[in-house]
Amino acid sequence: DEKSVTLIAVAGDDLGYTKTLRTSWGDGPLAQGPTGISLKTGTTQVRNNLADDPRFAPWLKQASKRGIQCSIALPVLVHGEIHGALMVYSHEAGSFDARGQELLEALAADLGYGLTRWRDAEALTTSRAALEHEVAFDSLTGLAKQRLSLERIQDVLDTRDAPGWALLCVGVDGMTSINQAFTYAAGDAVLQEVAQRLVEAAGAHDRVGRIAGDEFVVILRDLITTTDAAEASQRIINAVHGAVEYDGVSLDVSASVGSAMWDGKDAESLLRDATAAMRIASKQGTARWAFLDENVAATSRLALEVQTRLRGALATGNIVAWFMPVVQLEDSKACGYEALVRWVLDDGTVMPPDTFLHVAERSGLIIDIDRTVLAQACDALLRIDPEQHIAVNVSARQLADGLFATDALRIQQQHNMPAAELKLELTESTLIQSPVQAQAQLAQLTDVGNSIALDDYGTGFSTLENLQNYRFHTIKLDQRFIREMLNSSLSFQIVMSSVGLIHSLHMDVVAEGIESEDLARVLAELGCEYGQGYLFGRPKPLAALLQLQGMSSAGR
Ligand code: C2E
Ligand code: MG
Ligand code: MG
C-alpha cells in the first residue's frame, strides 16, 4: 500500500549509501528518483550525472558525500511483471554508455529469468505437497483418508507377524437424519467432534482414519483375544457417546463399532470385515458393537459381561477362598487345606472356578483373584491351625508376570504367614508356558521356605524332565486315574508305579478325588500317604470349617 521499496541485497562497497536510501514507486518526490521511475515504468533509467537531475535532489547530498556520480536502474521482470530493480552506482560520471547499458540490461534479464524459475519451482513444491496432503488427509477432520489408512494397516501387518491387534470400524449413528434435520454444517460439526473423541480414545492421531462420510477406522494394538477387542469397542462407543453442541442445539451423538481381529488377512479384507461388522452392529440399534461372525460376537459379549461382573465381584469382596482338607490316609486326619476360589453372586449362588477362570485368565483378572485367594488363605490358616499347611493354586498368567514372587512374598509377610506352611500348586501346562520365568520365580519362593506341588499329575505332559528341573515337594495324582483305578488295572498300575517313582525321588504323593473308603484303603496300601476328596470333606467356606472344627473339639 505504501509502495515502498525494500532493499534485498547489496554487493560492492556502497560506503553506507544504500542504508540511507528511502525510495518509493508511488507518487510524491521520493518516487521521482531513477529507482522509482524504473519500477513504475519498467524502463531502464540512466543518470550519467546525478547532480544534473533536479528530481534526484532528495538523495543528492548523501550520494555526493560518498562520491557517487552516476547510476543506472534496470527493471527486473518475473513472469513479465515488474518485481524489482537492479541498481548500479559509479564514482565516475558518464560510466553507463550504450554498450554498458546493453550489458547490464542482459544481466537484469538473466536475474529476472532466474527468479522466475525459482518462484515456479517453489510454487510447484508447495502445490505438490498441498495436493499430496489433500489426497491423503480429510480436510474436515484432518484424519487420514481411506487410502492412507489402508497403508497404515499394511504397515502394521508388515511389522507384525503375530496376532494381537484389531481393526475397529466406527460408524456414526443416524448421520443421515442429522444432516436432514439440521444442516450439513451441523453434520460436519458432529464429524469433527467424533474424530476428536476417537483420537483421544485411541491415544494417537495416526491410529484413526476417516474412511467414508460417516465411517472411521481405529487401529488398536495389544489386543490378544476377541474379548479384548469387544472391550475396546465398548470403550470407543463410550468415548464417542455424548452431546455435540451446534448453533445452540444439543445433538445426541453415538456410534456403532465393528471389529475384525487380525488373522493373517490382508489390509483390505480386514477393513472390509470390520466395516461389515459395523453394519451388523448398527442394524442392531445405536451404540452397539459386533463381530462379523455372530458366534464370535456372542461368545465375546458373554465373556465381556462375565469379565465386567467379575471385576465388580473382586471389588465388592465376592471372590472368596473355600477350603478343602488334605488328609493323611493312614488316619484320615487333616494335615492341610487347599484354597479353592469361589465367586459368590449377590443372590448367594456359588460359582465354581471352571465357570469363570478362563475369562479371568484371558483378561488378566486372574492375577488379582489369585492375590485375593492367597491373602485369604494366609488369614484362614492362622485361624484354622497354624501348624498345618495351606495350598494355593498358581495360574500361568501369574507365573508369567514378573512380579509374582515379589507379590506372593509381600502378601505372606503382610498376613504373618509362616513361609514353611505355604504350598504353591502348579500344573505342567502352567509351567510350560514360561519355563524360564517360572524357574526363577519359584526358586525365589522356595528359597524362603515355600514348597511347590505339581498338580493334576498324569493329565498334562508328565515329563520326567519336569520332575528333574523343579524342586517339587509334592506331586498330586490327578483324580482321573484315582477314580478309575478300582475298575481299570491299567490305571491301577499307573498309580502304583507313579507312587513308586515319586517316592524314589523323595517327594510326597497326594491322591486327588477320593470319594470312597475302598479307594482310600487301597491307596494307603500302595503307600500313598496323603489324599484329598469328597470322602474327607468338600471345599467349604472358612466359617463352616471353623464351625465344624469347634464341633469336633467340643465332641472330644
Ligand atoms: P485343582 O487345583 O486340581 O483342585 C481340585 C479340584 O477338584 C477342586 O475343584 C475340587 O473341588 C475338586 N475335587 C477334589 N476332590 C474331589 C472329589 O472327590 N470329587 C470331585 N468330583 N471333585 C473333587 P474346583 O474347586 O472346582 O477347582 C477346579 C480347578 O480350578 C482347580 O483344580 C484349580 O486348577 C482351579 N482353581 C481353583 N481355585 C483356584 C485359584 O484360587 N486360583 C487358580 N489359579 N486356580 C484355581
Ligand atoms: Mg490344586
Ligand atoms: Mg488337581
Side-chain angles (χ1 to χ4, degrees):
D1 289 345
E2 288 168 19
K3 300 198 169 170
S4 57
V5 177
T6 311
L7 190 68
I8 301 291
V10 183
D13 190 1
D14 70 339
L15 302 168
Y17 173 67
T18 49
K19 276 213 184 85
T20 69
L21 214 51
R22 297 282 172 276
T23 324
S24 150
W25 52 283
D27 299 316
L30 288 183
Q32 303 308 316
T35 316
I37 297 172
S38 175
L39 283 170
K40 254 194 305 195
T41 60
T43 54
T44 303
Q45 297 292 315
V46 184
R47 304 282 183 277
N48 268 322
N49 193 348
L50 288 166
D52 284 353
D53 181 4
R55 290 170 302 177
F56 193 71
W59 306 281
L60 190 60
K61 198 176 143 202
Q62 295 292 348
S64 309
K65 232 163 73 175
R66 294 169 173 88
I68 294 171
Q69 302 273 345
C70 62
S71 80
I72 183 168
L74 307 125
V76 175
L77 307 185
V78 175
H79 282 299
E81 279 176 20
I82 309 162
H83 269 237
L86 169 68
M87 305 293 307
V88 184
Y89 298 92
S90 168
H91 289 113
E92 255 172 70
S95 288
F96 305 111
D97 58 5
R99 175 88 186 95
Q101 183 178 336
E102 208 177 294
L103 208 67
L104 288 168
E105 273 173 351
L107 179 65
D110 283 353
L111 196 58
Y113 177 72
L115 283 172
T116 306
R117 293 298 304 266
W118 185 34
R119 290 263 164 98
D120 284 354
E122 227 178 21
L124 199 66
T125 320
T126 341
S127 65
R128 189 175 293 148
L131 198 68
E132 272 169 14
H133 195 273
E134 202 176 302
V135 169
F137 291 92
D138 166 41
S139 59
L140 183 65
T141 60
L143 294 175
K145 287 192 199 170
Q146 176 159 9
R147 208 188 64 188
L148 181 59
S149 296
L150 277 169
E151 278 172 26
R152 286 176 174 171
I153 298 166
Q154 191 60 48
D155 283 348
V156 181
L157 285 178
D158 291 344
T159 52
R160 217 145 160 173
D161 48 10
W165 64 278
L167 200 62
L168 305 187
C169 177
V170 181
V172 183
D173 294 327
M175 204 58 219
T176 325
S177 30
I178 292 177
N179 280 332
Q180 280 168 357
F182 300 93
T183 54
Y184 278 101
D188 284 356
V190 166
L191 292 170
Q192 278 173 327
E193 180 60 27
V194 168
Q196 203 172 329
R197 290 175 186 175
L198 286 176
V199 169
E200 259 167 51
H205 200 270
D206 61 1
R207 294 208 186 158
V208 185
R210 184 179 174 206
I211 51 168
D214 55 356
E215 289 171 17
F216 296 85
V217 67
V218 181
I219 306 170
L220 290 173
R221 303 193 185 198
D222 303 323
L223 302 178
I224 310 299
T225 63
T226 50
T227 313
D228 293 335
E231 198 175 30
S233 304
Q234 190 58 56
R235 192 162 52 77
I236 294 288
I237 288 172
N238 297 346
V240 172
H241 202 130
V244 172
E245 305 296 329
Y246 180 79
D247 206 13
V249 187
S250 177
L251 302 164
D252 189 29
V253 174
S254 68
S256 300
V257 177
S259 53
M261 298 293 293
W262 181 64
D263 56 358
K265 286 201 191 95
D266 60 276
E268 278 190 41
S269 324
L270 205 58
L271 184 58
R272 201 178 41 230
D273 284 1
T275 310
M278 186 276 288
R279 299 216 197 293
I280 295 176
S282 60
K283 271 203 199 102
Q284 292 167 349
T286 59
R288 306 287 182 95
W289 55 263
F291 286 90
L292 194 51
D293 182 340
E294 182 42 39
N295 290 333
V296 174
T299 319
S300 319
R301 200 162 282 133
L302 201 69
L304 187 59
E305 201 189 320
V306 173
Q307 192 172 306
T308 312
R309 287 171 51 200
L310 194 56
R311 192 170 283 134
L314 260 169
T316 53
N318 286 26
I319 297 297
V320 294
W322 281 23
F323 302 93
M324 182 179 204
V326 179
V327 305
Q328 256 163 250
L329 285 178
E330 60 174 9
D331 55 7
S332 304
K333 279 216 178 97
C335 57
Y337 294 85
E338 177 175 3
L340 294 158
V341 69
R342 296 292 182 268
W343 175 1
V344 184
L345 303 185
D346 288 337
D347 65 3
T349 313
V350 177
M351 304 295 282
D354 61 350
T355 57
F356 61 90
L357 278 191
H358 56 288
V359 172
E361 181 87 34
R362 277 202 224 139
S363 60
L365 283 173
I366 189 74
I367 295 186
D368 280 336
I369 291 181
D370 282 345
R371 279 185 192 140
T372 305
V373 169
L374 176 58
Q376 291 183 24
C378 294
D379 288 344
L381 186 72
L382 299 185
R383 297 189 56 193
I384 301 168
D385 180 358
E387 302 278 282
Q388 296 194 330
H389 78 261
I390 195 131
V392 296
N393 294 283
V394 177
S395 65
R397 192 74 179 247
Q398 238 185 329
L399 208 54
D401 181 88
L403 292 174
F404 166 59
T406 321
D407 256 5
L409 288 174
R410 182 178 45 79
I411 295 171
Q412 292 177 59
Q413 274 159 11
Q414 279 171 352
H415 294 263
N416 303 315
M417 176 75 189
E421 306 307 341
L422 184 68
K423 192 169 280 191
L424 302 158
E425 295 192 4
L426 303 111
T427 62
E428 280 176 296
S429 57
T430 299
L431 289 173
I432 210 144
Q433 289 182 39
S434 44
V436 181
Q437 188 85 293
Q439 248 173 354
Q441 301 263 331
L442 294 175
Q444 229 177 307
L445 292 163
T446 47
D447 282 350
V448 301
N450 291 165
S451 59
I452 313 232
L454 183 58
D455 205 352
D456 303 346
Y457 186 73
T459 57
F461 308 92
S462 306
T463 65
L464 300 173
E465 203 184 355
N466 274 339
L467 292 181
Q468 196 174 30
N469 287 351
Y470 295 92
R471 286 185 273 160
F472 294 120
H473 184 271
T474 306
I475 305 291
K476 298 184 79 169
L477 292 180
D478 193 71
Q479 31 183 309
R480 209 181 309 167
F481 295 97
I482 306 298
R483 278 214 211 106
E484 282 170 16
M485 64 185 282
L486 292 186
N487 310 320
S488 145
S489 63
L490 195 60
S491 294
F492 184 90
Q493 292 295 335
I494 290 174
V495 172
M496 188 171 69
S497 46
S498 297
V499 171
L501 171 71
I502 295 162
H503 280 164
S504 65
L505 294 170
H506 309 290
M507 297 172 186
D508 293 342
V509 186
V510 177
E512 292 189 274
I514 304 175
E515 294 188 3
S516 72
E517 297 278 6
D518 284 351
L519 205 50
R521 192 175 24 82
V522 170
L523 282 160
E525 278 165 15
L526 285 180
C528 181
E529 58 272 66
Y530 302 107
Q532 198 178 340
Y534 288 177
L535 174 68
F536 310 111
R538 294 186 179 230
K540 285 189 182 62
L542 179 63
L545 211 65
L546 292 173
Q547 201 182 14
L548 210 68
Q549 249 186 359
M551 275 170 10
S552 69
S553 58
R556 259 187 255 138

PDB file of all heavy atoms in Angstrom, residues 2-26:
ATOM      1  N   GLU A   2       1.966   1.186   0.713  1.00  0.00           N
ATOM      2  CA  GLU A   2       2.834   2.362   0.793  1.00  0.00           C
ATOM      3  C   GLU A   2       3.673   2.523  -0.456  1.00  0.00           C
ATOM      4  O   GLU A   2       4.298   3.545  -0.661  1.00  0.00           O
ATOM      5  CB  GLU A   2       3.779   2.230   1.991  1.00  0.00           C
ATOM      6  CG  GLU A   2       3.069   2.402   3.313  1.00  0.00           C
ATOM      7  CD  GLU A   2       3.957   1.974   4.466  1.00  0.00           C
ATOM      8  OE1 GLU A   2       5.192   1.896   4.298  1.00  0.00           O
ATOM      9  OE2 GLU A   2       3.389   1.679   5.533  1.00  0.00           O
ATOM     10  N   LYS A   3       3.691   1.489  -1.280  1.00  0.00           N
ATOM     11  CA  LYS A   3       4.537   1.483  -2.496  1.00  0.00           C
ATOM     12  C   LYS A   3       5.984   1.818  -2.137  1.00  0.00           C
ATOM     13  O   LYS A   3       6.641   2.621  -2.779  1.00  0.00           O
ATOM     14  CB  LYS A   3       3.975   2.443  -3.541  1.00  0.00           C
ATOM     15  CG  LYS A   3       2.554   2.028  -3.939  1.00  0.00           C
ATOM     16  CD  LYS A   3       2.138   2.639  -5.236  1.00  0.00           C
ATOM     17  CE  LYS A   3       0.828   1.961  -5.692  1.00  0.00           C
ATOM     18  NZ  LYS A   3       0.202   2.624  -6.812  1.00  0.00           N
ATOM     19  N   SER A   4       6.440   1.245  -1.045  1.00  0.00           N
ATOM     20  CA  SER A   4       7.824   1.467  -0.634  1.00  0.00           C
ATOM     21  C   SER A   4       8.719   0.453  -1.348  1.00  0.00           C
ATOM     22  O   SER A   4       8.237  -0.491  -1.937  1.00  0.00           O
ATOM     23  CB  SER A   4       7.940   1.314   0.878  1.00  0.00           C
ATOM     24  OG  SER A   4       7.473   0.039   1.240  1.00  0.00           O
ATOM     25  N   VAL A   5       9.998   0.660  -1.242  1.00  0.00           N
ATOM     26  CA  VAL A   5      10.964  -0.228  -1.893  1.00  0.00           C
ATOM     27  C   VAL A   5      11.842  -0.860  -0.815  1.00  0.00           C
ATOM     28  O   VAL A   5      12.339  -0.177   0.070  1.00  0.00           O
ATOM     29  CB  VAL A   5      11.831   0.561  -2.908  1.00  0.00           C
ATOM     30  CG1 VAL A   5      12.890  -0.344  -3.530  1.00  0.00           C
ATOM     31  CG2 VAL A   5      10.956   1.171  -3.991  1.00  0.00           C
ATOM     32  N   THR A   6      11.977  -2.145  -0.856  1.00  0.00           N
ATOM     33  CA  THR A   6      12.794  -2.838   0.126  1.00  0.00           C
ATOM     34  C   THR A   6      14.102  -3.281  -0.518  1.00  0.00           C
ATOM     35  O   THR A   6      14.098  -3.848  -1.595  1.00  0.00           O
ATOM     36  CB  THR A   6      12.049  -4.086   0.651  1.00  0.00           C
ATOM     37  OG1 THR A   6      10.748  -3.687   1.022  1.00  0.00           O
ATOM     38  CG2 THR A   6      12.762  -4.705   1.835  1.00  0.00           C
ATOM     39  N   LEU A   7      15.161  -3.019   0.223  1.00  0.00           N
ATOM     40  CA  LEU A   7      16.480  -3.424  -0.267  1.00  0.00           C
ATOM     41  C   LEU A   7      16.663  -4.911   0.003  1.00  0.00           C
ATOM     42  O   LEU A   7      16.527  -5.369   1.128  1.00  0.00           O
ATOM     43  CB  LEU A   7      17.530  -2.609   0.490  1.00  0.00           C
ATOM     44  CG  LEU A   7      18.946  -2.693  -0.030  1.00  0.00           C
ATOM     45  CD1 LEU A   7      19.035  -2.013  -1.383  1.00  0.00           C
ATOM     46  CD2 LEU A   7      19.878  -2.024   0.972  1.00  0.00           C
ATOM     47  N   ILE A   8      16.934  -5.669  -1.045  1.00  0.00           N
ATOM     48  CA  ILE A   8      17.062  -7.112  -0.865  1.00  0.00           C
ATOM     49  C   ILE A   8      18.515  -7.530  -0.723  1.00  0.00           C
ATOM     50  O   ILE A   8      18.865  -8.314   0.142  1.00  0.00           O
ATOM     51  CB  ILE A   8      16.426  -7.873  -2.059  1.00  0.00           C
ATOM     52  CG1 ILE A   8      14.945  -7.520  -2.217  1.00  0.00           C
ATOM     53  CG2 ILE A   8      16.610  -9.382  -1.906  1.00  0.00           C
ATOM     54  CD1 ILE A   8      14.047  -8.028  -1.109  1.00  0.00           C
ATOM     55  N   ALA A   9      19.362  -7.008  -1.555  1.00  0.00           N
ATOM     56  CA  ALA A   9      20.766  -7.411  -1.487  1.00  0.00           C
ATOM     57  C   ALA A   9      21.668  -6.310  -2.013  1.00  0.00           C
ATOM     58  O   ALA A   9      21.280  -5.572  -2.920  1.00  0.00           O
ATOM     59  CB  ALA A   9      20.973  -8.699  -2.286  1.00  0.00           C
ATOM     60  N   VAL A  10      22.851  -6.238  -1.417  1.00  0.00           N
ATOM     61  CA  VAL A  10      23.826  -5.231  -1.843  1.00  0.00           C
ATOM     62  C   VAL A  10      25.155  -5.920  -2.098  1.00  0.00           C
ATOM     63  O   VAL A  10      25.543  -6.789  -1.332  1.00  0.00           O
ATOM     64  CB  VAL A  10      24.039  -4.152  -0.738  1.00  0.00           C
ATOM     65  CG1 VAL A  10      25.000  -3.083  -1.228  1.00  0.00           C
ATOM     66  CG2 VAL A  10      22.726  -3.547  -0.311  1.00  0.00           C
ATOM     67  N   ALA A  11      25.824  -5.510  -3.155  1.00  0.00           N
ATOM     68  CA  ALA A  11      27.163  -6.047  -3.390  1.00  0.00           C
ATOM     69  C   ALA A  11      28.109  -4.886  -3.685  1.00  0.00           C
ATOM     70  O   ALA A  11      27.676  -3.849  -4.182  1.00  0.00           O
ATOM     71  CB  ALA A  11      27.141  -7.018  -4.559  1.00  0.00           C
ATOM     72  N   GLY A  12      29.388  -5.041  -3.361  1.00  0.00           N
ATOM     73  CA  GLY A  12      30.367  -3.983  -3.583  1.00  0.00           C
ATOM     74  C   GLY A  12      30.380  -3.027  -2.400  1.00  0.00           C
ATOM     75  O   GLY A  12      29.608  -3.188  -1.459  1.00  0.00           O
ATOM     76  N   ASP A  13      31.254  -2.028  -2.469  1.00  0.00           N
ATOM     77  CA  ASP A  13      31.350  -1.104  -1.338  1.00  0.00           C
ATOM     78  C   ASP A  13      30.504   0.127  -1.610  1.00  0.00           C
ATOM     79  O   ASP A  13      30.850   0.951  -2.426  1.00  0.00           O
ATOM     80  CB  ASP A  13      32.833  -0.737  -1.124  1.00  0.00           C
ATOM     81  CG  ASP A  13      32.999   0.026   0.176  1.00  0.00           C
ATOM     82  OD1 ASP A  13      31.962   0.218   0.871  1.00  0.00           O
ATOM     83  OD2 ASP A  13      34.123   0.434   0.471  1.00  0.00           O
ATOM     84  N   ASP A  14      29.386   0.240  -0.897  1.00  0.00           N
ATOM     85  CA  ASP A  14      28.466   1.363  -1.125  1.00  0.00           C
ATOM     86  C   ASP A  14      28.715   2.504  -0.140  1.00  0.00           C
ATOM     87  O   ASP A  14      27.987   3.470  -0.131  1.00  0.00           O
ATOM     88  CB  ASP A  14      27.019   0.892  -1.058  1.00  0.00           C
ATOM     89  CG  ASP A  14      26.628   0.524   0.363  1.00  0.00           C
ATOM     90  OD1 ASP A  14      27.545   0.248   1.192  1.00  0.00           O
ATOM     91  OD2 ASP A  14      25.423   0.502   0.669  1.00  0.00           O
ATOM     92  N   LEU A  15      29.713   2.333   0.748  1.00  0.00           N
ATOM     93  CA  LEU A  15      30.076   3.341   1.762  1.00  0.00           C
ATOM     94  C   LEU A  15      28.867   3.722   2.622  1.00  0.00           C
ATOM     95  O   LEU A  15      28.772   4.840   3.118  1.00  0.00           O
ATOM     96  CB  LEU A  15      30.686   4.596   1.098  1.00  0.00           C
ATOM     97  CG  LEU A  15      31.939   4.348   0.246  1.00  0.00           C
ATOM     98  CD1 LEU A  15      32.264   5.596  -0.574  1.00  0.00           C
ATOM     99  CD2 LEU A  15      33.126   3.984   1.125  1.00  0.00           C
ATOM    100  N   GLY A  16      27.924   2.805   2.726  1.00  0.00           N
ATOM    101  CA  GLY A  16      26.759   3.045   3.592  1.00  0.00           C
ATOM    102  C   GLY A  16      25.647   3.812   2.905  1.00  0.00           C
ATOM    103  O   GLY A  16      24.636   4.146   3.509  1.00  0.00           O
ATOM    104  N   TYR A  17      25.771   4.070   1.609  1.00  0.00           N
ATOM    105  CA  TYR A  17      24.769   4.875   0.910  1.00  0.00           C
ATOM    106  C   TYR A  17      23.389   4.197   0.912  1.00  0.00           C
ATOM    107  O   TYR A  17      22.380   4.829   1.195  1.00  0.00           O
ATOM    108  CB  TYR A  17      25.228   5.144  -0.536  1.00  0.00           C
ATOM    109  CG  TYR A  17      24.161   5.818  -1.356  1.00  0.00           C
ATOM    110  CD1 TYR A  17      23.754   7.138  -1.046  1.00  0.00           C
ATOM    111  CD2 TYR A  17      23.545   5.165  -2.418  1.00  0.00           C
ATOM    112  CE1 TYR A  17      22.764   7.755  -1.790  1.00  0.00           C
ATOM    113  CE2 TYR A  17      22.546   5.784  -3.159  1.00  0.00           C
ATOM    114  CZ  TYR A  17      22.166   7.084  -2.833  1.00  0.00           C
ATOM    115  OH  TYR A  17      21.169   7.690  -3.556  1.00  0.00           O
ATOM    116  N   THR A  18      23.379   2.914   0.576  1.00  0.00           N
ATOM    117  CA  THR A  18      22.080   2.244   0.442  1.00  0.00           C
ATOM    118  C   THR A  18      21.294   2.235   1.757  1.00  0.00           C
ATOM    119  O   THR A  18      20.082   2.154   1.756  1.00  0.00           O
ATOM    120  CB  THR A  18      22.249   0.792  -0.062  1.00  0.00           C
ATOM    121  OG1 THR A  18      23.246   0.154   0.730  1.00  0.00           O
ATOM    122  CG2 THR A  18      22.668   0.750  -1.511  1.00  0.00           C
ATOM    123  N   LYS A  19      22.036   2.318   2.879  1.00  0.00           N
ATOM    124  CA  LYS A  19      21.335   2.350   4.171  1.00  0.00           C
ATOM    125  C   LYS A  19      20.491   3.607   4.326  1.00  0.00           C
ATOM    126  O   LYS A  19      19.477   3.625   5.001  1.00  0.00           O
ATOM    127  CB  LYS A  19      22.375   2.306   5.308  1.00  0.00           C
ATOM    128  CG  LYS A  19      22.819   0.896   5.640  1.00  0.00           C
ATOM    129  CD  LYS A  19      23.140   0.797   7.146  1.00  0.00           C
ATOM    130  CE  LYS A  19      23.680  -0.576   7.463  1.00  0.00           C
ATOM    131  NZ  LYS A  19      25.162  -0.641   7.220  1.00  0.00           N
ATOM    132  N   THR A  20      20.943   4.701   3.698  1.00  0.00           N
ATOM    133  CA  THR A  20      20.229   5.974   3.847  1.00  0.00           C
ATOM    134  C   THR A  20      19.080   6.080   2.852  1.00  0.00           C
ATOM    135  O   THR A  20      18.269   6.999   2.919  1.00  0.00           O
ATOM    136  CB  THR A  20      21.185   7.152   3.592  1.00  0.00           C
ATOM    137  OG1 THR A  20      21.523   7.153   2.191  1.00  0.00           O
ATOM    138  CG2 THR A  20      22.454   7.028   4.429  1.00  0.00           C
ATOM    139  N   LEU A  21      19.040   5.154   1.929  1.00  0.00           N
ATOM    140  CA  LEU A  21      18.119   5.261   0.789  1.00  0.00           C
ATOM    141  C   LEU A  21      16.654   5.085   1.201  1.00  0.00           C
ATOM    142  O   LEU A  21      16.273   4.079   1.797  1.00  0.00           O
ATOM    143  CB  LEU A  21      18.501   4.162  -0.211  1.00  0.00           C
ATOM    144  CG  LEU A  21      18.339   4.458  -1.701  1.00  0.00           C
ATOM    145  CD1 LEU A  21      19.019   5.770  -2.085  1.00  0.00           C
ATOM    146  CD2 LEU A  21      18.926   3.302  -2.497  1.00  0.00           C
ATOM    147  N   ARG A  22      15.817   6.074   0.911  1.00  0.00           N
ATOM    148  CA  ARG A  22      14.362   5.942   1.080  1.00  0.00           C
ATOM    149  C   ARG A  22      13.745   6.192  -0.282  1.00  0.00           C
ATOM    150  O   ARG A  22      13.848   7.286  -0.823  1.00  0.00           O
ATOM    151  CB  ARG A  22      13.812   6.994   2.059  1.00  0.00           C
ATOM    152  CG  ARG A  22      14.351   6.873   3.470  1.00  0.00           C
ATOM    153  CD  ARG A  22      13.656   5.736   4.250  1.00  0.00           C
ATOM    154  NE  ARG A  22      14.344   5.538   5.521  1.00  0.00           N
ATOM    155  CZ  ARG A  22      15.447   4.793   5.669  1.00  0.00           C
ATOM    156  NH1 ARG A  22      15.978   4.164   4.626  1.00  0.00           N
ATOM    157  NH2 ARG A  22      16.023   4.683   6.829  1.00  0.00           N
ATOM    158  N   THR A  23      13.117   5.206  -0.825  1.00  0.00           N
ATOM    159  CA  THR A  23      12.602   5.334  -2.193  1.00  0.00           C
ATOM    160  C   THR A  23      11.168   4.819  -2.238  1.00  0.00           C
ATOM    161  O   THR A  23      10.768   4.024  -1.392  1.00  0.00           O
ATOM    162  CB  THR A  23      13.439   4.487  -3.181  1.00  0.00           C
ATOM    163  OG1 THR A  23      14.783   4.540  -2.774  1.00  0.00           O
ATOM    164  CG2 THR A  23      13.294   4.968  -4.586  1.00  0.00           C
ATOM    165  N   SER A  24      10.444   5.242  -3.237  1.00  0.00           N
ATOM    166  CA  SER A  24       9.071   4.765  -3.409  1.00  0.00           C
ATOM    167  C   SER A  24       8.779   4.598  -4.890  1.00  0.00           C
ATOM    168  O   SER A  24       9.496   5.146  -5.740  1.00  0.00           O
ATOM    169  CB  SER A  24       8.112   5.788  -2.770  1.00  0.00           C
ATOM    170  OG  SER A  24       6.879   5.785  -3.438  1.00  0.00           O
ATOM    171  N   TRP A  25       7.773   3.842  -5.206  1.00  0.00           N
ATOM    172  CA  TRP A  25       7.372   3.751  -6.620  1.00  0.00           C
ATOM    173  C   TRP A  25       5.924   4.249  -6.777  1.00  0.00           C
ATOM    174  O   TRP A  25       5.203   3.921  -7.717  1.00  0.00           O
ATOM    175  CB  TRP A  25       7.560   2.347  -7.175  1.00  0.00           C
ATOM    176  CG  TRP A  25       6.914   1.238  -6.352  1.00  0.00           C
ATOM    177  CD1 TRP A  25       7.391   0.730  -5.224  1.00  0.00           C
ATOM    178  CD2 TRP A  25       5.701   0.557  -6.649  1.00  0.00           C
ATOM    179  NE1 TRP A  25       6.572  -0.251  -4.745  1.00  0.00           N
ATOM    180  CE2 TRP A  25       5.512  -0.392  -5.642  1.00  0.00           C
ATOM    181  CE3 TRP A  25       4.767   0.633  -7.683  1.00  0.00           C
ATOM    182  CZ2 TRP A  25       4.417  -1.248  -5.601  1.00  0.00           C
ATOM    183  CZ3 TRP A  25       3.684  -0.241  -7.648  1.00  0.00           C
ATOM    184  CH2 TRP A  25       3.509  -1.159  -6.600  1.00  0.00           C
ATOM    185  N   GLY A  26       5.545   5.124  -5.779  1.00  0.00           N
ATOM    186  CA  GLY A  26       4.186   5.682  -5.837  1.00  0.00           C
ATOM    187  C   GLY A  26       4.181   7.042  -6.506  1.00  0.00           C
ATOM    188  O   GLY A  26       4.617   7.144  -7.646  1.00  0.00           O
TER     189      GLY A  26
END
